[in-house]
Amino acid sequence: QVQLVESGGGLVQAGGSLRLSCAASGRTFSTFGVGWFRQAPGKEREFVAVINWTGGIKSYADSVKGRFTISRDNTKNTVYLQMNSLNPEDTATYYCAATMENNPTPYQQDYHPWGQGTQVTVSS
């Protein structure tokens, strides 16, 4: 069974950067993809980015393309989300989740399990 733990959230000013980490344990890390999702207060959880098990396939939501970069280090069992040019609309709780899909999707039902989330707050 996979366990995922997010870290790296915090408070940042608009235009700033943060790097989120998703550390995995419990299963060979290089056998599954990892996605990032976020949920803002009063809104539904939405897809942000995903990377497949090799790191060769990446996909992003239109709202973060060109600003966010997803990557993975299989030697450290960790997936990263580098977030640049942050704006207040990026404020949310960010979750990582595992997917066994060879061609990862943006659909939440394809992801299990999920981490507990890390809060990102961007001030204007």
Side-chain angles (χ1 to χ4, degrees):
Q1 180 70 0
V2 177
Q3 292 88 42
L4 301 173
V5 178
E6 304 93 336
S7 62
L11 174 64
V12 64
Q13 288 189 331
S17 299
L18 281 175
R19 188 177 79 160
L20 305 183
S21 298
C22 175
S25 62
R27 180 185 168 129
T28 303
F29 182 67
S30 60
T31 63
F32 57 90
V34 174
W36 284 98
F37 293 77
R38 66 186 181 186
Q39 186 167 22
K43 295 187 177 181
E44 294 186 353
R45 190 161 56 187
E46 64 176 5
F47 169 74
V48 175
V50 63
I51 188 167
N52 79 327
W53 64 281
T54 67
I57 298 175
K58 303 175 185 180
S59 180
Y60 299 91
D62 288 343
S63 59
V64 306
K65 275 181 185 175
R67 300 188 299 122
F68 291 11
T69 302
I70 191 170
S71 61
R72 66 187 298 155
D73 185 342
N74 286 351
T75 67
K76 296 182 178 179
N77 290 357
T78 301
V79 168
Y80 303 99
L81 185 69
Q82 177 66 44
M83 306 187 297
N84 298 330
S85 301
L86 286 162
N87 59 63
E89 290 69 39
D90 296 314
T91 294
T93 301
Y94 284 71
Y95 301 88
C96 65
T99 178
M100 304 306 160
E101 299 286 332
N102 286 331
N103 216 355
T105 75
Y107 308 119
Q108 297 183 45
Q109 61 264 31
D110 292 335
Y111 291 80
H112 176 81
W114 294 72
Q116 83 290 348
T118 186
Q119 177 66 38
V120 172
T121 302
V122 184
S123 63
S124 56

